[in-house]
Amino acid sequence: MTSTANPVPTRDERLIMEAAVLHGRRDLRIETRPIPEPQHGEVLLAVKTAGVCGSDLGEFAHGPVLTPIEQRHPITGHLGPLVLGHEFSGEVVALGSAVDGFGLGQLVASGASSWCDRCSHCRRGHTNRCPHYWAVGLQRNGGLAEFVSVPAHNCFPLDESGITADAGALVQPMAIAVHTVRRASVRSGSRVLVLGAGGIGAFVVAALRSLADVGELAVCEPSSARRDTARALGASETASEHSALDGGYDTVFETSGTAAGLGAAVSLVDTGGSVVLTGIQPPGTMSTELLRQVTLRELTLIGPMACIVRTDVPDAIGVLAGRDSWHDVAPVVYPLTDIGALFVRETDTARTALKPLFAPGLHKPRKSQY
């Protein structure tokens, strides 16, 4: 390893760390792992705060789907149990070769993704469409650990923004929301509906209010607590059921990833409007009747995929910095050792945590800091 800002163990000491490792379906373990070494173009981060995404819970409950636990990933080469976590902030403690612009001890947020920077998509700026695209914590060991090594090109300093390490763990999911809003190209003064106010839905509401000149912004969400959060983030109207909404929306963001949500989105969007499929639908939900409605009512289906790190992450940092507190979204930071119990609870019962945050080395839960 290269020189460090914090005391990372030398090769003569125990080079181990604690990490949340997914071994397979419903098999998540806290294990000791070797501390990774930053390779060419990478930085080693001492993880400060890390978040849990719905895709992490999905891999635990239904996977492996995205994680290369059973088959080697063609880009990263990873095969076997994998450290989860693609939403995190950390302190730079070591630099790999050919890394410029980062200083030891610097607090950064990671956009998690990597791309080739050579293909036609990358040259046009659409790095999220790169055929060599992969993500830390999904296709390679991630940030639900004490240390993580990541490509420097997906890390962004937080010093000038003034946001904390806890807010930094919200940067990556907010960047997904920013990209979703950009893909929708919402017209000024239009009526917009967001279906679902979970982790990504809540961030879509915040991004819409920050980046788009929305007229009416409605949110449909069965949880009363999440409806309260949606209103705090800028929703002008909330409803617990699809049937309570009038319809005729110019743009509908479907964030639940359910067949019911997709059907409601198509029925509630105005003729000539757009449906943004933020939630990933399970196979077989696009019926011929829905496709018929798309044709007869001249609807536009928009599929936002991940985020364009170079443009969406800086704007996500701006959205987060524009609000004094995010306690209503992520109020508590838990010890990493509590993560197994949370995964079981959020899988076996209705999901309750809007954005769970974890910190390595923490011994008891604490209030998040913004």
Side-chain angles (χ1 to χ4, degrees):
M1 293 183 184
T2 61
S3 59
T4 63
N6 282 351
V8 179
T10 67
R11 296 209 66 80
D12 296 329
E13 300 176 31
R14 294 174 63 220
L15 285 174
I16 60 173
M17 64 177 185
E18 283 194 336
V21 183
L22 184 68
H23 283 254
R25 187 170 301 181
R26 298 186 67 86
D27 187 0
L28 181 70
R29 311 175 195 176
I30 297 294
E31 297 180 345
T32 55
R33 282 287 187 101
I35 294 175
E37 293 192 38
Q39 302 302 305
H40 179 85
E42 296 184 345
V43 296
L44 179 67
L45 303 181
V47 177
K48 294 302 182 184
T49 313
V52 168
C53 176
S55 60
D56 297 322
L57 294 170
E59 288 297 301
F60 174 78
H62 310 296
V65 177
L66 300 173
T67 51
I69 293 174
E70 298 175 349
Q71 294 184 333
R72 189 176 302 279
H73 192 267
I75 308 301
T76 67
H78 186 98
L79 173 64
L82 181 132
V83 180
L84 290 176
H86 57 274
E87 305 175 357
F88 53 89
S89 65
E91 181 180 318
V92 178
V93 295
L95 307 175
S97 58
V99 173
D100 296 315
F102 292 93
L104 300 179
Q106 194 170 32
L107 180 65
V108 303
S110 171
S113 306
S114 189
W115 55 93
C116 75
D117 233 3
R118 299 183 302 274
C119 69
S120 60
H121 295 294
C122 287
R123 289 197 301 269
R124 289 194 294 267
H126 303 301
T127 55
N128 61 325
R129 302 176 189 174
C130 174
H132 300 283
Y133 186 92
W134 58 270
V136 173
L138 289 173
Q139 286 82 42
R140 200 181 83 174
N141 288 326
L144 283 166
E146 293 182 85
F147 296 89
V148 61
S149 186
V150 295
H153 68 187
N154 72 36
C155 291
F156 292 78
L158 298 179
D159 306 328
E160 293 185 3
S161 70
I163 70 174
T164 65
D166 291 351
L170 305 179
V171 166
Q172 195 275 343
M174 182 62 80
I176 302 296
V178 166
H179 183 68
T180 295
V181 169
R182 282 205 168 112
R183 284 280 291 147
S185 299
V186 176
R187 297 190 304 274
S188 177
S190 59
R191 300 181 68 230
V192 176
L193 169 65
V194 178
L195 295 176
I200 189 61
F203 286 150
V204 167
V205 173
L208 280 165
R209 279 304 185 202
S210 179
L211 303 176
D213 183 20
V214 178
E216 177 186 343
L217 177 51
V219 172
C220 185
E221 165 58 51
S223 164
S224 60
R226 292 184 176 186
R227 291 197 301 274
D228 290 343
T229 298
R231 284 191 288 270
L233 292 171
S236 52
E237 175 189 358
T238 59
S240 59
E241 297 179 353
H242 304 147
S243 58
L245 297 165
D246 294 333
Y249 295 96
D250 300 299
T251 305
V252 177
F253 291 83
E254 203 302 291
T255 73
S256 70
T258 64
L262 176 60
V266 171
S267 66
L268 290 167
V269 72
D270 197 12
T271 296
S274 298
V275 173
V276 187
L277 300 175
T278 306
I280 299 176
Q281 291 289 321
T285 55
M286 183 59 79
S287 67
T288 53
E289 176 55 30
L290 286 179
L291 290 173
R292 181 172 174 270
Q293 290 297 316
V294 169
T295 299
L296 294 179
R297 296 172 53 211
E298 205 168 49
L299 304 181
T300 299
L301 298 182
I302 298 173
M305 206 292 286
C307 69
I308 300 173
V309 169
R310 285 173 175 153
T311 55
D312 296 330
V313 168
D315 280 351
I317 292 172
V319 173
L320 290 163
R323 196 166 186 252
D324 290 338
S325 172
W326 293 88
H327 281 116
D328 44 3
V329 174
V332 180
V333 181
Y334 298 94
L336 186 62
T337 50
D338 288 356
I339 197 168
L342 178 132
F343 268 59
V344 170
R345 183 177 72 244
E346 294 292 303
T347 299
D348 292 347
T349 62
R351 291 183 183 174
T352 56
L354 192 58
K355 180 53 66 176
L357 297 180
F358 292 85
L362 198 63
H363 298 296
K364 62 180 180 180
R366 63 166 173 83
K367 186 178 179 180
S368 53
Q369 299 168 354
Y370 300 109

